[in-house]
Amino acid sequence: MRFTRRAAVAVIGVAALLTASACGSSDDGGDGGSGSKKVEVFTWWADGGEKAGLDGLVAQFGTSCAGQEFVNGAVAGGAGANAKQVLASRLQQNDPPDTFQAHAGAELQDYILAGQVQDISADYDTWGLKTAFPAGLIQNLTVDGKIYSVPANIHRANVVWSNKKVVADAGITSDPTDLAGFIADLDKVKAKGIAAPLAIGKDWTQLMLFESVLITDLGAEKFTGLWKGTTPWDGADVTKAINDFKTLLTYTNKDRDALDWTDAEKLVMDGKAAYQLMGDWEAADLDAKKFADYAWFTFPGNGTTFQWLADSFVLPKGAKNVEGTKCWLKTVGSADGQKAFNTKKGSIPARTDASPADYPKYQQAAMADWKSATQVPSCAHGSACSQGWQGAANSALGAFSTNQDVAGLQKALAAAAAQFVKK
Ligand code: GAL
């Protein structure tokens, strides 16, 4: 029932947006021909810290690419839940935006393998980007020796955000470092009358929490192996992780399946919850919303593991304004562009030449962690798994949220891996 209604809403949303985009084209006089100076940038950054980050980049684009005009193609919805559907439909109809946001790693490979994005390796040389980014990231962006996108940032997914007052009122004085400690703290907050101390939203946010639990229970190497086909999904360690995740869900809000990440964040801001596991775009969003009384810690038991993801921008096949888009891409990769974007977005620059002193407190800590951390990818945000796999995992988690069937979830996840892992 829930799935049907959601699907219907998505279809209506797609239809409305396609109409809107068609109207946009006729305003341009049909455009599509050469000479366009408009650069339509397609993202899901429509509000709060995400919009603030995009605005920073747009301001830099205005300076660096005079004569070109930014057109905002953002479609709201955390993690691109709505945007990706709209984009898929536009790409299918040969109506690409001039550029769009795609996660480095497996998600980007989907677009590359479908032939929907262009090789920009030569521009990397011209813009000096091959040495500006870390070698590991370049590797994640490369397919068959070619590079297809410019990364704007590195985000961290496995972070718990807290309301300092709620935590202090519960008598908690230090951060938990393992699951047992975290559950003990959740109980302390609950004892203060807060029924759902751990705020969470719908499917993909649940997948994020589950991935963090997997990292704790399996360790970094075995966790990464889940996405490479070297760690089995039907093992006892995964069963344990599902049971631990199930326990954590008992501390979460019952309306979770109807909430986006920002709705869950509001529960923390309003003092109705103490904690939320979320990527570090939350730092920027809390700052943009002027909520200062927050703290953060790495998900308990993750140790020094840094679960990374990177937003990158591409040159789609059929982009109308190639020159303008290339100037956007160059700006995204430039030192000034990365600073303008990341100081507002909660992420750290993908470039290695940034100066931590230019950044807010959270990013300074993240920059230091990134250097020494063990890196693992994220399926919820496309660095670990393809979009098909991600969709299957989200559906499985969404079903589990209602039926709490441990064996059923493990079976569904194992089936998804068998279907999507690269052989
Ligand atoms: C991620 C994206 C982030 C942030 C987040 C929440 O997928 O990489 O930049 O926007 O979704 O919407």
Side-chain angles (χ1 to χ4, degrees), residues 52-74:
L54 180 61
D55 287 347
L57 204 45
V58 172
Q60 188 59 44
F61 174 70
T63 309
S64 306
C65 306
Q68 297 289 345
E69 185 191 336
F70 167 81
V71 176
N72 194 350

Side-chain angles (χ1 to χ4, degrees), residues 3-135:
F3 175 76
T4 312
R5 197 167 56 231
R6 214 185 272 163
V9 169
V11 169
I12 293 164
V14 169
L17 276 145
L18 288 175
T19 313
S21 108
C23 293
S25 303
S26 61
D27 285 354
D28 299 348
D31 199 275
S34 54
S36 170
K37 295 289 178 194
K38 293 180 195 288
V39 181
E40 187 197 357
V41 177
F42 188 97
T43 69
W44 54 87
W45 298 329
D47 206 2
E50 298 183 316
K51 171 81 163 43
L54 180 61
D55 287 347
L57 204 45
V58 172
Q60 188 59 44
F61 174 70
T63 309
S64 306
C65 306
Q68 297 289 345
E69 185 191 336
F70 167 81
V71 176
N72 194 350
V75 174
N82 308 319
K84 284 182 186 173
Q85 297 186 49
V86 175
L87 179 65
S89 143
R90 285 187 59 176
L91 293 178
Q92 210 170 28
Q93 295 175 33
N94 284 325
D95 176 32
D98 290 294
T99 183
F100 61 84
Q101 169 190 359
H103 290 122
E107 181 184 308
L108 182 69
Q109 289 193 22
D110 283 345
Y111 298 111
I112 298 172
L113 299 175
Q116 292 165 326
V117 292
Q118 300 189 45
D119 173 16
I120 52 168
S121 312
D123 301 298
Y124 258 66
D125 293 328
T126 314
W127 302 334
L129 295 184
K130 282 204 179 123
T131 49
F133 299 128

Side-chain angles (χ1 to χ4, degrees), residues 44-45 50 77-79 101 103 155 204 261 281 309 311 345 381:
W44 54 87
W45 298 329
E50 298 183 316
Q101 169 190 359
H103 290 122
H155 265 305
W204 66 268
W261 72 277
W281 43 91
L309 57 120
D311 297 302
K345 183 66 168 66
H381 302 285

Side-chain angles (χ1 to χ4, degrees), residues 39-292:
V39 181
E40 187 197 357
V41 177
F42 188 97
T43 69
W44 54 87
W45 298 329
D47 206 2
E50 298 183 316
K51 171 81 163 43
L54 180 61
D55 287 347
L57 204 45
V58 172
Q60 188 59 44
F61 174 70
T63 309
S64 306
C65 306
Q68 297 289 345
E69 185 191 336
F70 167 81
V71 176
N72 194 350
V75 174
N82 308 319
K84 284 182 186 173
Q85 297 186 49
V86 175
L87 179 65
S89 143
R90 285 187 59 176
L91 293 178
Q92 210 170 28
Q93 295 175 33
N94 284 325
D95 176 32
D98 290 294
T99 183
F100 61 84
Q101 169 190 359
H103 290 122
E107 181 184 308
L108 182 69
Q109 289 193 22
D110 283 345
Y111 298 111
I112 298 172
L113 299 175
Q116 292 165 326
V117 292
Q118 300 189 45
D119 173 16
I120 52 168
S121 312
D123 301 298
Y124 258 66
D125 293 328
T126 314
W127 302 334
L129 295 184
K130 282 204 179 123
T131 49
F133 299 128
L137 181 57
I138 294 272
Q139 204 184 319
N140 274 292
L141 295 165
T142 307
V143 170
D144 289 340
K146 295 176 183 156
I147 305 179
Y148 295 83
S149 77
V150 179
N153 62 358
I154 306 284
H155 265 305
R156 184 175 197 173
N158 57 335
V159 188
V160 178
W161 305 90
S162 69
N163 179 317
K164 277 164 93 172
K165 180 172 185 316
V166 175
V167 169
D169 286 351
I172 298 162
T173 51
S174 61
D175 296 334
T177 53
D178 57 22
L179 268 185
F182 192 32
I183 287 168
D185 286 351
L186 288 165
D187 280 328
K188 284 183 198 161
V189 179
K190 226 174 161 172
K192 286 285 168 186
I194 294 184
L198 180 59
I200 200 162
K202 63 183 177 180
D203 50 18
W204 66 268
T205 73
Q206 294 168 26
L207 177 59
M208 287 186 76
L209 180 64
F210 178 55
E211 288 189 62
S212 285
V213 175
L214 282 169
I215 295 169
T216 291
D217 284 345
L218 274 70
E221 201 182 323
K222 283 191 84 182
F223 172 81
T224 302
L226 289 170
W227 311 106
K228 292 189 164 165
T230 52
T231 302
W233 280 90
D234 56 4
D237 42 10
V238 174
T239 314
K240 179 182 183 327
I242 297 175
N243 278 304
D244 286 339
F245 172 66
K246 186 176 176 181
T247 303
L248 286 177
L249 281 188
T250 65
Y251 294 91
T252 67
N253 40 294
K254 295 213 169 11
D255 59 354
R256 55 186 175 248
D257 297 320
L259 304 192
D260 204 339
W261 72 277
T262 42
D263 304 314
E265 175 196 50
K266 188 163 186 313
L267 295 174
V268 175
M269 290 166 65
D270 291 348
K272 292 180 180 155
Y275 304 108
Q276 180 187 14
L277 178 286
M278 190 40 59
D280 50 13
W281 43 91
E282 182 136 338
D285 204 58
L286 291 168
D287 290 349
K289 290 172 178 163
K290 310 263 180 266
F291 181 81

Side-chain angles (χ1 to χ4, degrees), residues 301-347:
N302 280 194
T304 57
T305 303
F306 190 119
Q307 192 183 27
W308 71 275
L309 57 120
D311 297 302
S312 71
F313 284 91
V314 298
L315 175 63
K317 286 235 169 89
K320 296 181 186 83
N321 177 3
V322 173
E323 187 197 334
T325 302
K326 285 203 175 179
C327 201
W328 171 266
L329 297 177
K330 185 179 176 188
T331 305
V332 168
S334 69
D336 286 344
Q338 300 239 321
K339 184 173 152 190
F341 178 66
N342 288 296
T343 46
K344 299 278 188 254
K345 183 66 168 66
S347 40

